[in-house]
Amino acid sequence: MTIRVRLALLYGALFLAAGAVLLAGTYVLATRLTWPVLPEISFGQLPLDPVRQRAAEARGFVTAAAVGLGAMTVASVGLGWVMAGAGAEAAQGDDGGGA
């Protein structure tokens, strides 16, 4: 594996780890906060139980967060590839002689 590939994967892994910690913290805060949950009432439907409603919202959050984190991880690996290539070109062009 070339240094460029290793650096791109390292950048992607670091982003994934940081994003996972951020999303886990957000999830914990969002599920632990206590605010009144008012059932949505519409004609012809029974209101949802507040506990079930909160669980459904939490599942929706986790799904959306996982999709977003996955997309951003793929993007960060791509950007890491570009940055690693630029760094490699700069290192190859540097002959150590100073300007």
Side-chain angles (χ1 to χ4, degrees), residues 35-88:
W35 60 83
V37 178
L38 301 175
E40 296 177 11
I41 299 174
S42 64
F43 296 107
Q45 276 187 323
L46 294 175
L48 287 175
D49 176 31
V51 174
R52 287 185 182 175
Q53 183 177 356
R54 180 165 291 206
E57 290 170 356
R59 280 192 304 275
F61 171 78
V62 169
T63 302
V67 169
L69 182 59
M72 288 304 296
T73 300
V74 169
S76 69
V77 169
L79 290 173
W81 176 265
V82 172
M83 293 301 297

